[in-house]
């Protein structure tokens, strides 16, 4: 019996909601520092380790996901992430910083990386007609996880303490992820949804062909892989940079109040999540290559306008646009990889591409901090990132033209033209 693909999508969202809860880490920092006497740097290190491992483990365990399937992989992720969170409670209880770094940082990071790619690679196969929408829904869940976890964790810490909060949330994450993992499975080879099949048979649609069917090893040897990798790295670095300094930047450049800056940070979360779904859904109609070109046009304009903008609302609006492109980059990545390399080993390929997540998470904040400290101003930051985004824009145009060239060559050799619009 064929499973319901929308329940598969719901299962993926359950997994991503859980691991996305890790982005609510800021609510733990002050209570832990005050209760344990650990420094802010030490407490922040746990989050840094987790985020660094999330991207790298996605790359290292991509082959594991392909070999063992999404269900077993997601269950492993549930165990690792659940233990990491609950184990953090033990570390707080016995006052052990090394154990806290091991549990919250190392175990949670491994679980997050494996849990991130397991359902997304499966959704690409279940939604050949709506790849963008499908991956957008899952990744939206990841972005929304912090919005749900933050108030829940804050309330629990006040009522039952930090350790018990970690126990409760760790158990909750495990149950939610395990239930999601229990239903997830890939479709049979060659499966397409009934509605799409009828449209193809009636001539209303043509079966969309991926540009190629590659293994992960074959994919990383192509220029298309590295073009997409560099585009994603620059897009991620710009987005994480903006997220990391939005509050002090807005206060410093346009004089936004502390309360106003805090409100901006909250709205950024909405645009980050909304961008993941909105841009991904749009890509099903205008094509993934075009979406990335649009990302970079928007961001070039934003980074060139930000230094001269004195209007507070316009300044915030430009920041929100950049953040929406950052979120959209994550949701479009697996769908774009599927278009370019097929679904043969999409989990492993997606994992390799996610190394940009870890690298961008380090490069963006480090670059803005270095420039700010060297010049005592945020203005040069905008120009530096405008140059970087321009480089990404050129690469995106090159990739788009190269895809079109390959499509035309395939048509001349007898392949059917794809449904997805390139021009």
């Amino acid at each position: 019996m064929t499973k319901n693909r929308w329940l598969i999508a719901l299962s993926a969202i359950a997994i991503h909601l859980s691991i996305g809860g890790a982005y609510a880490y800021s609510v733990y920092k002050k209570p832990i520092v005050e209760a344990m006497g650990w420094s802010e740097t030490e407490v922040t290190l746990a989050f840094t380790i987790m985020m660094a491992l999330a991207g790298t483990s996605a790359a290292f365990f991509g082959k594991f996901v392909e070999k063992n399937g999404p269900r077993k992989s997601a269950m492993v992720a549930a165990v690792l992430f659940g233990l990491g969170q609950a184990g953090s409670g033990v570390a707080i209880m016995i006052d052990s910083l090394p154990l806290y770094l091991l549990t919250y940082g190392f175990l949670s990071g491994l679980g997050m990386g494996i849990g991130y790619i397991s359902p997304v690679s499966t959704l690409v196969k279940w939604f050949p007609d709506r790849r963008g929408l499908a991956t957008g829904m899952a990744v939206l869940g990841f972005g929304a996880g912090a919005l749900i976890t933050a108030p829940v964790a804050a309330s629990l810490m006040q009522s039952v303490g930090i350790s018990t909060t970690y126990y409760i949330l760790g158990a909750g994450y495990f149950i939610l992820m395990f239930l999601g993992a229990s239903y997830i499975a890939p479709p049979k080879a060659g499966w397409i949804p009934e509605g799409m099949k009828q449209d193809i048979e009636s001539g209303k649609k043509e079966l969309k062909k991926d540009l190629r069917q590659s293994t992960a090893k074959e994919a990383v040897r192509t220029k298309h892989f590295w073009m997409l990798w560099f585009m994603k790295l620059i897009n991620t670095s710009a987005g994480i940079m903006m997220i990391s300094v939005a509050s002090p930047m807005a206060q410093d450049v346009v004089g936004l109040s502390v309360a106003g800056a805090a409100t901006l940070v909250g709205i950024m979360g909405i645009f980050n999540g909304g961008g993941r779904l909105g841009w991904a859904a749009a890509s099903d109609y205008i094509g993934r290559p075009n979406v990335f070109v649009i990302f970079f046009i928007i961001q070039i304009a934003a980074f060139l306008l930000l230094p001269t903008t004195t209007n507070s609302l316009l300044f915030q609006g430009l920041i929100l646009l950049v953040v929406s492109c950052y979120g959209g980059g994550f949701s479009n990545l697996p769908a774009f990889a599927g278009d370019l390399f097929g679904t043969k080993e999409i989990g492993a390929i997606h994992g390799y591409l996610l190394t940009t997540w870890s690298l961008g998470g380090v490069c963006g904040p480090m670059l803005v901090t270095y420039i700010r400290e060297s010049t005592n101003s945020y203005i040069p930051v905008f120009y530096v990132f405008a140059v970087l985004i321009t480089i990404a824009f050129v690469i995106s145009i090159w990739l788009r033209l190269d895809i079109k060239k390959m499509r035309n060559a395939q048509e001349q050799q007898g392949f059917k033209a794809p449904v997805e619009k390139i021009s």
Side-chain angles (χ1 to χ4, degrees), residues 230-269:
F230 277 109
M231 285 159 52
K232 184 67 174 66
L233 175 63
I234 293 172
N235 193 63
T236 301
S237 298
I240 293 181
M241 177 280 293
M242 196 63 83
I243 290 169
S244 68
V245 297
S247 177
M249 178 187 285
Q251 293 176 59
D252 186 59
V253 178
V254 293
L256 201 64
S257 67
V258 174
T263 302
L264 171 63
V265 171
I267 297 172
M268 283 169 65

Side-chain angles (χ1 to χ4, degrees), residues 27 54 71 86 105 135 156 208 247 258 267 281 318 386:
V27 301
R71 177 182 293 142
T135 55
L156 283 172
K208 179 186 181 299
S247 177
V258 174
I267 297 172
L318 293 171

Side-chain angles (χ1 to χ4, degrees), residues 22 57 71 92 139 147 202 237 259 281 302 345 375 380 415:
S57 65
R71 177 182 293 142
I92 295 294
V139 181
L147 295 176
S202 65
S237 298
E345 290 190 3
T375 65
F415 290 101

